[in-house]
Amino acid sequence: MTMNNQGRPTSSGSVNENEMPTISGDRGLQHEVSLIFELGRPGMTGVDLPQVQMTDKRLGGLRRKGPVGLPGLSEPEVIRHYVRLSQLNYSIDAGLYPLGSCTMKHNPRLNEKMARLPGFADVHPLAPQQTVQGAFEAVGELMKWLTTLTGMPAVAMSPKAGAHGELCGLLTIRAAIEARGEKRNRILVPSSAHGTNPATAAVAGFVVDEVPATEDGHVDADALEAKLGPDVAAIMLTNPNTCGLFEPRIKEMADAVHKAGAYFYCDGANFNAIAGRVRPGDLGVDAMHINLHKTFSTPHGGGGPGAGPVVLSAALAPFAPLPLLVHDGNEFRMIEHADEATDGAKPFGRMCAFHGQMGMFSRALTYMMSHGADGIRQASEDAVLSANYILASLKDVMSAPFGEGPCMHEALFDDSFLEGTGVTTLDFAKAMIDEGYHPMTMYFPLVVHGAMLIEPTESESKESLDRFIHVLRTMALEAKAGQTARFDGAPRLAPRRRLDETAAARKPILRWKPKELPQAAE
Amino acid sequence: MRYLPLTPDDRAAMLAKIGAPNIDALFRDVPKSAVVARSVFDLPDTQGELTVERALSKMAAKSRAAGSLPFFCGAGAYKHHVPSAVDHLIQRSEFLTSYTPYQPEIAQGTLQYLFEFQTQVALLTGMEVANASLYDGSTATAEGVLMAQRITKRPKAILSGGLHPHYAETVETVAGLSGTVTRSPVTPGKAEDIIALIDDQTACVVVQSPDVFGLIRNLKPIADAAHAKGALLIAVVTEIVSLGLIEPPGAQGADIVAAEGQSLGVGLNFGGPYVGLFATREKYLRNMPGRLCGETTDAAGKRGYVLTLSTREQHIRREKATSNICTNSGLCCLAFTIHLSLLGEEGFSRLARANHARASALADRLADVKGVSLVTESFFNEFTLKLSKPAASVVDALAEKGIVAGVPASRLMPHDKEARDLLIVAATETNTDEDCDAFVHALAELL
């Protein structure tokens, strides 16, 4: 029993405060939140707008016949609803977020402030170009940072996320191959690749051919070379790879790919390990997307938005998609149609309406200017150092399949240390939630059994890392000692216990429906 | 560097624990020739907040913000007032700095708003189900075409001439690989005879309403004709506020709705990030692209939400997935859904009426100017004018006078001769009487 500073006991005695039901159903700061459709009352609104008179004569006989079905709430009710919802979320601001391959680093608030400058945010994509020169300048400046850091001559800015960037890269490669009068339909993808790689290759109309991994977690360079042939368009390689390792034979592989007339697409999801220290252009990369929401700290926002600019080699640069930003010595100009393109450019088409994720560009540029080239290099080094520190501190109690050599910015463990304990990777991860941590990436990459991929990023202090290591060590030792109570059915202390995902998929309920109405028929 | 918590002593202690003599030892697998020195990068060093803020503010000031002058651009991106509460709420750490909700026990905040968002999108569009967003309206349209090709197992997509040209080009980029894309001729202010193009190889017809010129299209006859030939109708909406006043595509027979949600909560952002809305019929659910949030219960029997039907998605299905999308527009969904929750039924209806009334009044006044005629008979908050001079030069001349008059159609379709004199004008609740007066007078002086 502990005492507070008045000397009174603070324990509630015999009652287990975790078990005692409350009258409201809420528990302290944790509130149960109704669906917004279960709140409000007709006629109420949180926005005061005038009641305007109008006629139907210009609506083409298509005026909406019934109500939309939206609830009416005042502003304080709306704010309370979303604030309470927010309190059910874990976040990087609140704790270490060790999701491997996701790079959950600190999101500086200066980025948010700069992105909201009216000259960047309150600008229309089709406003006369002479009126938006400031926004163009920011894009141009970001392009300079990206091409300089990667050692690549060009960058396509319009892709809206990593997977969209992959598609942009592969379509650029397709255009370059067609321009040579060739047809190549096979893409080599390592078995350790992110799921987006094969999915993108399929969307881009290619056949996916899988390259195996070696025992030590690298792409099998010999198998890769054996698969090269006149029908191979490209290889999609993540480097550092998804096992958290740098591919030591990368230049050799790039040379072989080029010699076979194919291109080297690099998945840049793990650029945070090498930015400011290694230039992908020097490794023989022809195209690489950069997840601005990973390496350059634009917020993940619960799943987006991201941005996936694609840097391109000289061989691919002419085929970059529309639009193209150029500077004619006097001012910036956006080329929006293929026949306006200059300098031999042959854009393959358009990835999306307008010209990319400006709101992410301004945030990423702010991050880069804040860090500077020296800070970006230091950040990469700290990310790699922190991952290696975790690997070195845990590999005696958790099993690290490639734990001998150094890793890059993420440390990979498998579930062999849990063998015979009855505890699974999932149980282990869910028990971390009760300890106040977001779990690491689980069951990815697919090339190891029961994978646990930990990426601490450069944003954690040594004290934070030490505490995290202490918790994981203790958990691993307890599991091995047969003390498995904390893993059984974890988490217990989160806003929800484990959720029934099977039931959710078997009979999907994907929207709220008013009770009195029957379920919509097929 | 203020964002990096490790001290030199920490780094030394950590290297000692690892057993590495220095940081370079951790990069030993990197080919020596690929490691570059700091001096190789012609880029500045670390800078403090004040310095960065000064530099970027100076840069931003070289743009003329839409809110700083009479402003009438639309054509797929619309200036609306976003209530202050929206931007405050989306900047809460728990929303802003969380990841995709793959651990539902500690992500119910995100999951519940996605469930509410899906419901709102389904209600607005008159459809049965909606997903948790795609990147934007144009990529949502392209995903819709791919989905229609999968469902019908037919190759051909027919795009209305009234579809925003950027959307049409985006569709051609991806759907041209898996099938064929045919564009119907551009007929400003009139509905083309798209029905005549539908045949037994047609997977889908893609029609935007209000179209790129602002014209409200009657979708019902097109839906009926498409269905009679076994094809699907994809309805595209670039101005979601229009659905506060116009019959939703779902009620007109659409099979898939792809829309841009930027008008609610998101802002102009120079073209992105925006939020792609995607809705369809329940029977096509398993062919949908993108994330879906579903209701379920937890081990204690409490209602909760999870990402579901993920066997459609790339992280499970890899090359057999329905789409390669991973990251979506999470935070923009949140902005959208908060704005719509604040509006509610009454506010949303009032907003739509205010937009239509403002645009109608402006169209009447502009049509009275000598050298101007109104091309679009029916419209929501955007209409097209035919001018006696090339529209691009008129826009440039008015920009000189501090008025952004709209989007010249020639910027979107430079090869269409008819487009040369057409000006696409949008008016929303943000345009004041003074803005409209200034526009009318300046145009009268110029023509």
Side-chain angles (χ1 to χ4, degrees), chain B residues 215-423:
Chain B
L215 184 72
I216 297 173
R217 296 292 190 96
N218 185 3
L219 302 175
K220 188 77 172 63
I222 307 171
D224 291 344
H227 295 158
K229 289 256 168 65
L232 305 185
L233 172 65
I234 300 177
V236 175
V237 183
T238 59
E239 170 52 294
I240 200 69
V241 178
S242 69
L243 297 182
L245 200 55
I246 300 172
E247 192 70 344
Q252 299 188 61
D255 300 285
I256 295 171
V257 179
E260 175 52 68
Q262 164 273 336
S263 286
L264 293 178
V266 177
L268 290 172
N269 292 335
F270 202 39
Y274 286 174
V275 52
L277 315 180
F278 194 93
T280 187
R281 305 282 172 200
E282 215 159 315
K283 62 181 168 185
Y284 300 134
L285 182 59
R286 281 165 207 272
N287 274 296
M288 275 179 105
R291 294 177 187 143
L292 287 165
C293 173
E295 184 185 313
T296 187
T297 51
D298 77 352
K302 285 185 181 169
R303 179 168 72 177
Y305 305 90
V306 291
L307 291 180
T308 191
L309 299 178
S310 51
T311 49
R312 300 163 298 112
E313 293 183 71
Q314 48 76 27
H315 60 281
I316 310 283
R317 288 278 278 175
R318 299 175 78 86
E319 67 267 27
K320 295 189 182 64
T322 56
S323 166
N324 69 332
I325 193 167
C326 179
T327 293
N328 63 9
S329 285
L331 205 67
C332 298
C333 296
L334 179 63
F336 176 100
T337 196
I338 296 171
H339 191 173
L340 194 55
S341 296
L342 282 163
L343 286 165
E345 188 76 34
E346 181 66 26
F348 189 56
S349 171
R350 286 187 182 211
L351 178 64
R353 278 178 278 155
N355 271 259
H356 184 60
R358 175 58 68 188
S360 292
L362 180 62
D364 285 339
R365 292 187 61 192
L366 289 169
D368 283 344
V369 172
K370 189 166 156 281
V372 178
S373 60
L374 181 64
V375 173
T376 37
E377 283 291 314
S378 67
F379 57 84
F380 171 62
N381 66 355
E382 185 168 34
F383 51 85
T384 294
L385 302 174
K386 187 170 169 56
L387 308 180
S388 56
K389 288 181 178 168
S393 64
V394 170
V395 167
D396 285 342
L398 290 177
E400 286 283 306
K401 297 184 179 191
I403 294 163
V404 179
V407 178
S410 60
R411 181 154 177 194
L412 298 171
M413 42 197 97
H415 307 297
D416 202 302
K417 285 209 180 68
E418 204 187 346
R420 198 191 60 160
D421 300 332
L422 300 179
L423 178 64

Side-chain angles (χ1 to χ4, degrees), chain A residues 46 49 51 58 64 68-69 86 89 93 116 121-123 131 251 277 337 339 350 371 430 496 500, chain B residues 24 33 46 64 66-67 92-93 103 110 173 243 245 269-270 296 303 342 345 350 353 364 411 415:
Chain A
L49 285 160
Q51 181 69 271
R58 281 213 170 101
R64 183 183 260 279
V68 177
S86 76
N89 271 4
D93 283 350
R116 285 167 173 79
D122 190 24
V123 185
T131 69
K251 284 183 109 168
R277 203 182 154 93
H337 302 281
D339 52 5
R350 177 179 273 283
H371 275 76
K430 296 292 186 193
R496 284 290 178 272
D500 190 344
Chain B
D24 295 338
S33 59
T46 301
R64 302 205 62 180
R92 282 190 64 90
S93 292
Q103 298 293 336
T110 298
T173 296
L243 297 182
L245 200 55
N269 292 335
F270 202 39
T296 187
R303 179 168 72 177
L342 282 163
E345 188 76 34
R350 286 187 182 211
R353 278 178 278 155
D364 285 339
R411 181 154 177 194
H415 307 297

Side-chain angles (χ1 to χ4, degrees), chain A residues 34 43 67 158 183 201 212 266 273 351 370 388 408 447 474 517:
Chain A
S34 299
S158 62
K183 258 184 106 75
C266 184
M351 292 298 296
S370 296
N388 276 286
M408 296 305 286
V447 293
T474 310
L517 294 180

Side-chain angles (χ1 to χ4, degrees), chain A residues 163-243:
Chain A
H164 208 222
E166 291 173 22
L167 183 60
C168 175
L170 291 196
L171 293 176
T172 310
I173 288 170
R174 173 180 280 279
I177 289 170
E178 282 171 4
R180 299 197 316 228
E182 291 179 35
K183 258 184 106 75
R184 291 168 174 252
N185 71 344
R186 201 150 52 96
I187 298 265
L188 306 182
V189 181
S191 51
S192 58
H194 294 115
T196 49
N197 292 177
T200 300
V203 173
F206 292 104
V207 176
V208 177
D209 191 354
E210 202 169 275
V211 181
T214 59
E215 298 264 301
D216 60 358
H218 292 114
V219 173
D220 188 334
D222 297 326
L224 166 69
E225 288 185 33
K227 280 179 182 285
L228 288 169
D231 64 331
V232 172
I235 171 151
M236 292 183 91
L237 199 78
T238 306
N239 187 48
N241 71 24
T242 59
C243 297

Side-chain angles (χ1 to χ4, degrees), chain A residues 34-36 38 45-46 49 51-52 54 58 62-65 67-71 81-82 85-86 88-93 97 99 102 107-109 113-114 116 119 121-124 126-127 130-131 134-135 137 148 160 163 193 195-196 199-200 202 251 273 276-277 279 299-305 336-337 339 350-355 357-359 366 369-374 377-378 382 430 442 458-459 495-500 505 509-512, chain B residues 1-5 11 24 27-28 33-34 36 38 40-41 44-47 53 56 59-60 62-67 71 74 77 79 87 91-100 103-107 109-110 112 115-116 118-119 124 127-128 136 138 166 169-170 173 217 243 245-247 268-270 272-273 285 291 293-299 303 305 308 314 318-319 324 328 331 341-345 347 350 353 357 364 378-379 396 411 414-415:
Chain A
S34 299
L35 283 170
I36 198 141
E38 296 159 350
T45 177
L49 285 160
Q51 181 69 271
V52 176
M54 54 154 275
R58 281 213 170 101
L62 287 165
R63 183 159 187 170
R64 183 183 260 279
K65 293 186 184 72
V68 177
L70 301 170
H81 179 72
Y82 290 100
L85 280 181
S86 76
L88 305 178
N89 271 4
Y90 194 86
S91 65
I92 178 64
D93 283 350
Y97 216 128
L99 275 175
C102 302
N107 302 145
R109 288 313 192 276
K113 188 177 180 186
M114 296 299 94
R116 285 167 173 79
D122 190 24
V123 185
H124 191 284
L126 297 173
Q130 63 274 28
T131 69
E137 189 177 332
T148 305
K160 292 191 164 269
T196 49
T200 300
K251 284 183 109 168
R277 203 182 154 93
R279 294 185 301 185
H300 279 77
E336 296 173 317
H337 302 281
D339 52 5
R350 177 179 273 283
M351 292 298 296
C352 58
F354 313 126
H355 33 252
Q357 306 284 72
M358 181 67 196
T366 307
M369 290 172 68
S370 296
H371 275 76
D374 57 335
R377 185 188 183 93
Q378 186 67 60
D382 284 358
K430 296 292 186 193
M442 295 180 288
E458 70 277 16
S459 304
R496 284 290 178 272
R497 302 292 302 272
R498 274 190 218 185
L499 289 132
D500 190 344
I509 304 170
L510 304 175
R511 57 175 286 194
W512 170 87
Chain B
M1 207 285 135
R2 61 190 179 277
Y3 304 136
L4 301 176
R11 291 182 186 119
D24 295 338
F27 288 85
R28 66 159 198 216
S33 59
V36 292
R38 161 69 186 92
V40 165
F41 300 107
D45 276 336
T46 301
Q47 301 178 94
E53 190 169 339
L56 286 171
M59 206 184 282
K62 295 178 193 167
S63 293
R64 302 205 62 180
F71 190 86
K79 179 159 177 60
D87 202 39
Q91 287 191 75
R92 282 190 64 90
S93 292
E94 302 90 334
F95 289 137
L96 186 74
T97 76
S98 55
Y99 193 68
T100 304
Q103 298 293 336
E105 299 88 350
I106 46 172
T110 298
Q112 184 169 329
F115 186 81
E116 294 173 350
Q118 289 175 181
T119 307
L124 283 176
M127 303 299 283
E128 289 158 7
D136 73 346
S138 67
H166 285 187
E169 291 162 28
T170 305
T173 296
R217 296 292 190 96
L243 297 182
L245 200 55
I246 300 172
E247 192 70 344
L268 290 172
N269 292 335
F270 202 39
L285 182 59
R291 294 177 187 143
C293 173
E295 184 185 313
T296 187
T297 51
D298 77 352
R303 179 168 72 177
Y305 305 90
T308 191
Q314 48 76 27
R318 299 175 78 86
E319 67 267 27
N324 69 332
N328 63 9
L331 205 67
S341 296
L342 282 163
L343 286 165
E345 188 76 34
R350 286 187 182 211
R353 278 178 278 155
D364 285 339
S378 67
F379 57 84
D396 285 342
R411 181 154 177 194
H415 307 297

Side-chain angles (χ1 to χ4, degrees), chain A residues 219-494:
Chain A
V219 173
D220 188 334
D222 297 326
L224 166 69
E225 288 185 33
K227 280 179 182 285
L228 288 169
D231 64 331
V232 172
I235 171 151
M236 292 183 91
L237 199 78
T238 306
N239 187 48
N241 71 24
T242 59
C243 297
L245 306 174
F246 195 93
E247 294 289 355
R249 295 174 69 183
I250 185 141
K251 284 183 109 168
E252 193 187 319
M253 289 191 273
D255 288 345
V257 165
H258 290 150
K259 209 170 145 206
Y263 295 95
F264 178 6
Y265 186 89
C266 184
D267 181 328
N270 293 340
F271 191 45
N272 200 48
I274 56 172
R277 203 182 154 93
V278 178
R279 294 185 301 185
D282 295 337
L283 300 170
V285 169
D286 290 297
M288 181 180 93
H289 73 263
I290 299 167
N291 305 77
L292 297 184
H293 47 293
K294 295 181 180 176
T295 310
F296 297 112
S297 84
T298 74
H300 279 77
V310 180
V311 286
L312 298 166
S313 64
L316 293 181
F319 306 98
L322 293 166
L324 308 168
L325 183 65
V326 294
H327 192 266
D328 61 11
N330 201 14
E331 60 173 19
F332 287 97
R333 197 160 55 84
M334 189 68 91
I335 293 172
E336 296 173 317
H337 302 281
D339 52 5
E340 296 161 13
T342 50
D343 300 332
K346 302 180 212 51
F348 71 75
R350 177 179 273 283
M351 292 298 296
C352 58
F354 313 126
H355 33 252
Q357 306 284 72
M358 181 67 196
M360 302 295 110
F361 298 163
S362 41
R363 286 172 174 88
L365 178 61
T366 307
Y367 173 93
M368 291 178 175
M369 290 172 68
S370 296
H371 275 76
D374 57 335
I376 289 171
R377 185 188 183 93
Q378 186 67 60
S380 300
E381 291 177 359
D382 284 358
V384 170
L385 178 65
S386 297
N388 276 286
Y389 184 60
I390 285 177
L391 182 67
S393 305
L394 291 176
K395 68 181 178 187
D396 60 324
V397 293
M398 291 169 67
S399 39
F402 316 121
E404 288 315 305
C407 63
M408 296 305 286
H409 68 312
E410 47 195 6
L412 178 64
F413 299 91
D414 65 18
D415 63 359
S416 55
F417 75 102
L418 294 171
E419 208 175 304
T421 62
V423 176
T424 65
T425 290
L426 184 75
D427 298 330
F428 194 83
K430 296 292 186 193
M432 286 170 67
I433 293 175
D434 285 337
E435 299 296 329
Y437 288 108
H438 194 283
M440 66 286 270
T441 293
M442 295 180 288
Y443 301 107
F444 181 85
L446 308 175
V447 293
V448 304
H449 197 269
M452 299 180 216
L453 188 62
I454 299 179
E455 180 180 358
T457 82
E458 70 277 16
S459 304
E460 298 301 324
S461 67
K462 182 167 177 293
E463 294 73 28
S464 167
L465 295 172
D466 285 338
R467 189 173 173 277
F468 178 70
I469 289 163
H470 168 70
V471 169
L472 259 63
R473 281 191 74 83
T474 310
M475 284 172 59
L477 291 170
E478 281 190 10
K480 290 203 245 196
Q483 298 165 27
T484 56
R486 73 171 71 258
F487 302 100
D488 184 25
R492 290 185 169 75
L493 305 175

